[in-house]
Each structure stands twice: as C-alpha cells, then as structure tokens.
Short mmCIF file of all heavy atoms in Angstrom, two decimals:
data_model
loop_
_atom_site.label_atom_id
_atom_site.label_comp_id
_atom_site.label_asym_id
_atom_site.label_seq_id
_atom_site.Cartn_x
_atom_site.Cartn_y
_atom_site.Cartn_z
N ALA E 1 70.31 194.36 25.11
CA ALA E 1 70.46 195.35 26.18
C ALA E 1 69.25 196.27 26.24
O ALA E 1 68.73 196.58 27.31
CB ALA E 1 71.74 196.16 25.97
N VAL E 2 68.78 196.72 25.06
CA VAL E 2 67.60 197.58 25.02
C VAL E 2 66.37 196.83 25.53
O VAL E 2 65.59 197.36 26.32
CB VAL E 2 67.36 198.10 23.59
CG1 VAL E 2 66.00 198.81 23.50
CG2 VAL E 2 68.46 199.06 23.18
N LEU E 3 66.21 195.59 25.10
CA LEU E 3 65.06 194.81 25.54
C LEU E 3 65.06 194.58 27.04
O LEU E 3 64.01 194.56 27.68
CB LEU E 3 65.01 193.48 24.79
CG LEU E 3 64.70 193.57 23.29
CD1 LEU E 3 64.86 192.22 22.63
CD2 LEU E 3 63.30 194.12 23.06
N ARG E 4 66.23 194.38 27.62
CA ARG E 4 66.31 194.23 29.07
C ARG E 4 65.79 195.49 29.76
O ARG E 4 65.09 195.41 30.77
CB ARG E 4 67.74 193.94 29.52
CG ARG E 4 68.18 192.50 29.32
CD ARG E 4 69.43 192.18 30.11
NE ARG E 4 70.58 192.95 29.64
CZ ARG E 4 71.42 192.54 28.69
NH1 ARG E 4 71.20 191.40 28.06
NH2 ARG E 4 72.45 193.27 28.33
N ARG E 5 66.17 196.64 29.23
CA ARG E 5 65.72 197.90 29.84
C ARG E 5 64.21 198.04 29.76
O ARG E 5 63.60 198.67 30.62
CB ARG E 5 66.37 199.10 29.14
CG ARG E 5 67.86 199.13 29.23
CD ARG E 5 68.41 200.53 29.04
NE ARG E 5 67.94 201.21 27.86
CZ ARG E 5 68.53 201.15 26.66
NH1 ARG E 5 69.59 200.36 26.50
NH2 ARG E 5 68.06 201.83 25.65
N PHE E 6 63.62 197.46 28.72
CA PHE E 6 62.19 197.60 28.53
C PHE E 6 61.40 196.44 29.14
O PHE E 6 60.19 196.36 28.99
CB PHE E 6 61.87 197.70 27.03
CG PHE E 6 62.11 199.07 26.46
CD1 PHE E 6 63.37 199.63 26.43
CD2 PHE E 6 61.05 199.81 25.96
CE1 PHE E 6 63.59 200.89 25.90
CE2 PHE E 6 61.25 201.07 25.44
CZ PHE E 6 62.53 201.62 25.40
N GLY E 7 62.12 195.53 29.80
CA GLY E 7 61.43 194.45 30.48
C GLY E 7 61.05 193.29 29.60
O GLY E 7 60.27 192.44 29.99
N HIS E 8 61.60 193.25 28.35
CA HIS E 8 61.33 192.10 27.48
C HIS E 8 62.30 190.97 27.83
O HIS E 8 63.21 191.13 28.63
CB HIS E 8 61.50 192.50 26.01
CG HIS E 8 60.43 193.42 25.54
ND1 HIS E 8 59.16 193.03 25.27
CD2 HIS E 8 60.46 194.77 25.30
CE1 HIS E 8 58.44 194.05 24.87
NE2 HIS E 8 59.20 195.12 24.89
N ALA E 9 62.11 189.85 27.18
CA ALA E 9 62.90 188.66 27.51
C ALA E 9 64.33 188.74 27.01
O ALA E 9 65.15 187.93 27.37
CB ALA E 9 62.23 187.42 26.91
N ALA E 10 64.63 189.71 26.17
CA ALA E 10 65.98 189.90 25.63
C ALA E 10 66.40 188.78 24.71
O ALA E 10 67.57 188.46 24.59
CB ALA E 10 67.01 190.06 26.75
N GLY E 11 65.41 188.15 24.07
CA GLY E 11 65.75 187.14 23.07
C GLY E 11 65.82 185.74 23.63
O GLY E 11 65.45 185.48 24.78
N PRO E 12 66.32 184.81 22.86
CA PRO E 12 66.26 183.39 23.21
C PRO E 12 67.12 183.00 24.39
O PRO E 12 66.99 181.90 24.91
CB PRO E 12 66.73 182.70 21.93
CG PRO E 12 67.54 183.73 21.22
CD PRO E 12 66.88 185.03 21.53
N ASP E 13 68.00 183.86 24.84
CA ASP E 13 68.83 183.51 26.00
C ASP E 13 68.09 183.68 27.32
O ASP E 13 68.63 183.43 28.38
CB ASP E 13 70.10 184.37 26.02
CG ASP E 13 71.10 183.90 24.99
OD1 ASP E 13 70.91 182.82 24.41
OD2 ASP E 13 72.07 184.63 24.78
N GLY E 14 66.83 184.19 27.22
CA GLY E 14 66.05 184.28 28.44
C GLY E 14 66.09 185.67 29.03
O GLY E 14 66.59 186.61 28.43
N PRO E 15 65.57 185.84 30.26
CA PRO E 15 65.44 187.15 30.87
C PRO E 15 66.77 187.82 31.12
O PRO E 15 67.79 187.18 31.29
CB PRO E 15 64.72 186.85 32.20
CG PRO E 15 64.13 185.49 32.04
CD PRO E 15 65.02 184.77 31.09
N GLY E 16 66.71 189.13 31.15
CA GLY E 16 67.89 189.92 31.50
C GLY E 16 67.90 190.19 32.98
O GLY E 16 67.44 189.39 33.78
N ARG E 17 68.38 191.39 33.36
CA ARG E 17 68.55 191.69 34.77
C ARG E 17 67.24 191.94 35.47
O ARG E 17 67.18 191.95 36.69
CB ARG E 17 69.45 192.92 34.91
CG ARG E 17 70.84 192.74 34.40
CD ARG E 17 71.67 193.96 34.66
NE ARG E 17 70.99 195.16 34.19
CZ ARG E 17 71.44 196.38 34.40
NH1 ARG E 17 72.52 196.56 35.12
NH2 ARG E 17 70.81 197.43 33.93
N GLY E 18 66.15 192.16 34.71
CA GLY E 18 64.88 192.46 35.33
C GLY E 18 64.31 193.72 34.75
O GLY E 18 65.02 194.54 34.18
N SER E 19 63.02 193.87 34.87
CA SER E 19 62.36 195.01 34.27
C SER E 19 62.64 196.28 35.06
O SER E 19 63.09 196.25 36.21
CB SER E 19 60.85 194.76 34.25
OG SER E 19 60.32 194.76 35.56
N ALA E 20 62.32 197.39 34.43
CA ALA E 20 62.48 198.67 35.13
C ALA E 20 61.61 198.71 36.37
O ALA E 20 61.98 199.28 37.39
CB ALA E 20 62.11 199.82 34.17
N GLU E 21 60.41 198.09 36.27
CA GLU E 21 59.53 198.09 37.43
C GLU E 21 60.16 197.33 38.60
O GLU E 21 60.08 197.76 39.75
CB GLU E 21 58.19 197.44 37.05
CG GLU E 21 57.34 198.27 36.11
CD GLU E 21 57.69 198.05 34.65
OE1 GLU E 21 58.74 197.42 34.39
OE2 GLU E 21 56.93 198.52 33.79
N GLU E 22 60.81 196.21 38.29
CA GLU E 22 61.43 195.42 39.35
C GLU E 22 62.57 196.18 39.99
O GLU E 22 62.75 196.19 41.21
CB GLU E 22 61.93 194.10 38.78
CG GLU E 22 60.78 193.16 38.38
CD GLU E 22 61.28 191.97 37.59
OE1 GLU E 22 62.40 192.07 37.03
OE2 GLU E 22 60.57 190.96 37.53
N GLU E 23 63.41 196.82 39.15
CA GLU E 23 64.53 197.57 39.69
C GLU E 23 64.07 198.78 40.48
O GLU E 23 64.67 199.17 41.47
CB GLU E 23 65.46 197.99 38.54
CG GLU E 23 66.13 196.81 37.89
CD GLU E 23 67.04 197.22 36.76
OE1 GLU E 23 67.27 198.44 36.60
OE2 GLU E 23 67.52 196.34 36.04
N ALA E 24 62.95 199.39 40.03
CA ALA E 24 62.44 200.57 40.72
C ALA E 24 61.88 200.21 42.09
O ALA E 24 61.76 201.06 42.96
CB ALA E 24 61.36 201.24 39.88
N GLY E 25 61.53 198.94 42.28
CA GLY E 25 60.96 198.54 43.55
C GLY E 25 61.88 198.82 44.72
O GLY E 25 61.43 199.00 45.85
#
C-alpha cells in the first residue's frame, strides 16, 4: 500500500492503482 502511494511497483504482484503523479493529473 505504501509503495503504491509512492509510485513503486508494489512488489511482485505488479503495479498498484498508479502513481501520485498519475492520480494528480
């Protein structure tokens, strides 16, 4: 969950909801 907020891949399951930059768009 923290990694998703920071725009990291969130581990081996792949990307999370998207980076803060993407959501801020």
Side-chain angles (χ1 to χ4, degrees):
V2 170
L3 291 172
R4 281 196 295 270
R5 299 203 308 271
F6 280 64
H8 291 285
D13 285 349
R17 296 184 309 173
S19 68
E21 290 86 348
E22 290 170 339
E23 293 180 9

